[in-house]
Amino acid sequence: MVDINIRNRLRQCRKAAGGLTQQELADRTGVSRQSIISIERGRYRPSVELALKLARVLGVSVEELFELVNEETSK
Amino acid sequence: MTPLPKRMFAEPIQTAGTVLAIFGIFGSFLGPDWLIAFTGIGLFGPLLLRETGALRWRDEFQRETTIRACMHALMAVGILATVTMATQGYGGLHERMDSIGASTVLWVLGLTWGLSKVLQHWGAPDGAFRLLLGYTAVLLLIATTRIVLFGTVARIDIKQNPPSTLVWIAILAWLLGLTVLSRYRSRTTGWLLLLTAASAVPLLQDWVGYIGSGTRGWTKTIDVLPLAVLPLLAAGLSLIPLRDRSKEHSETD
């Protein structure tokens, strides 16, 4: 069985974009800080709309922020 | 006119709803039954407003966690109702001395919803840690109050008796140990929490004194069970799917 996971580089991109804090990024994208924390920890997958907003604010492409990872499992 | 930011509307109403819900639970438990209306308003009011479009979601994360919490609450109440009907028949939810009452259903629904929200908000490992810490603190408060008010002596024959000082210390130490362990051995702690929750049911049946009289007293006594057991179950279930880890890394800046 193949599980598809999404790996994100939000934290790295946020640091690279002038060291934005989670709160600043949340304010600029119109979401709560908890949303940013949850995305960075991989606990929450943002919608396409939010992913595009994050990419725009950070000045990167969505593909740079999020990456599909296929993991072969033993199931 | 420029619309105000949606969070200005969403958060105060959500907070007020939570306060109302908690007030209604304690108010109806200690006072007249009609105070439970506040819990209904607090729990379902914001959801109803959002569903009718009168109140907007703060963001998609809030919407996602709320929907999942509703699903968890539905499952908990569904399982409770199914087990009750299977074991006691269609009249199982009537208020009578050998069954659960409508209040039990509401507690299970509300508590499951709230616990799910908390655990999703903080994420499983951190949420479970804080939940267990809060649970242990509340138990410590109850134990201290009982020991001070009733001067419970250090008995070890706990059967049919309220927990003695020694038993309270043992319970609190066990819970504190599990709280610390949850930071390092998530899966193990999860299973231990489920075992603790299962063990708590027969112990609580012995320890919880009869609250009030008649069917109302019976349901109040039964209602202590979900309040005591559900937090342990929720924390345990959230920890079991996680991988064990040696050290938690910081999530904030």
Side-chain angles (χ1 to χ4, degrees), chain B residues 161-175:
Chain B
N161 283 314
S164 66
T165 307
L166 282 177
V167 175
W168 274 118
I169 290 170
I171 293 170
L172 290 168
W174 172 250
L175 288 172

Side-chain angles (χ1 to χ4, degrees), chain B residues 2-20:
Chain B
T2 308
L4 290 168
K6 54 190 174 186
R7 72 178 58 178
M8 288 184 67
F9 292 108
E11 293 317 299
I13 288 179
Q14 187 64 58
T15 307
T18 305
V19 172
L20 274 180

